[in-house]
Amino acid sequence: MYKNQKYFKNSNEKFKMVISDFLTAVLDKNYLKFESYLHDELGIYAILPDGREYKTIEDFKDSQKKWFFGNTGEFTSEIKDYHTSGELGFSTMISNYKNRDETGENFDIDIYITLIFRHYEGKWYLIHDQNTILQRKSVF
């Protein structure tokens, strides 16, 4: 048993609220709330739908600014699974993302997303974000 297991009583339900709060920040384009789930000391490893990898918090945050500060795009998500064990928690979800790419072309993709969070100093932080395209639909 994890040495701090006492802090994780009913952790799955509490963790589901963390995931919901994080997703709400993304859906509502609330950058400050999104940023509160990132911690410089913990770092991040992210692979986004375009295949680009991000290994630093600053690079990852920069990659997300187009979404958070842009006036285009639509993102929906359905949590499929979530679980915690010790200081780690993960969530898997199916998401749909519609937006424009850098060339101005519209796209509509279904994505399988796995998020891994680490419980650190009393809070959950995102440390891994893996995106896999399931289907790229015709341009809308």
Side-chain angles (χ1 to χ4, degrees):
M1 179 182 281
Y2 178 65
K3 67 181 178 180
N4 291 324
Q5 191 66 35
K6 66 182 178 182
Y7 298 112
F8 296 97
K9 251 187 182 166
N10 300 318
S11 61
N12 276 347
E13 286 310 307
K14 289 179 183 177
F15 184 66
K16 184 177 183 183
M17 291 187 315
V18 168
I19 298 163
S20 294
D21 189 54
F22 177 80
L23 285 177
T24 298
V26 173
L27 296 172
D28 291 347
K29 296 187 176 190
N30 183 337
Y31 185 76
L32 291 177
K33 174 69 86 170
F34 164 78
E35 192 177 42
S36 76
Y37 282 96
L38 303 173
H39 194 294
D40 289 330
E41 288 181 31
L42 299 178
I44 193 161
Y45 183 72
I47 303 172
L48 299 186
D50 62 6
R52 292 183 187 160
E53 296 178 65
Y54 297 92
K55 298 178 182 178
T56 70
I57 294 291
E58 284 306 312
D59 288 345
F60 180 64
K61 288 193 302 190
D62 286 345
S63 77
Q64 300 301 298
K65 287 181 179 176
K66 181 180 176 188
W67 166 257
F68 282 97
F69 298 110
N71 59 2
T72 63
E74 180 182 323
F75 183 82
T76 59
S77 196
E78 177 186 353
I79 298 170
K80 291 296 192 178
D81 193 17
Y82 58 94
H83 184 73
T84 59
S85 180
E87 65 183 18
L88 296 177
F90 79 87
S91 173
T92 54
M93 59 198 74
I94 300 288
S95 300
N96 178 264
Y97 181 42
K98 296 176 185 170
N99 210 336
R100 289 189 191 100
D101 65 19
E102 289 109 15
T103 67
E105 289 290 318
N106 292 331
F107 63 85
D108 179 354
I109 55 178
D110 290 330
I111 311 166
Y112 184 73
I113 300 175
T114 300
L115 302 175
I116 300 175
F117 291 79
R118 179 173 169 203
H119 197 262
Y120 180 73
E121 297 180 342
K123 188 174 180 326
W124 288 100
Y125 294 97
L126 181 66
I127 61 168
H128 185 88
D129 181 350
Q130 168 71 51
N131 293 247
T132 303
I133 295 177
L134 296 173
Q135 179 181 7
R136 185 174 186 106
K137 300 173 188 174
S138 58
V139 175
F140 62 95

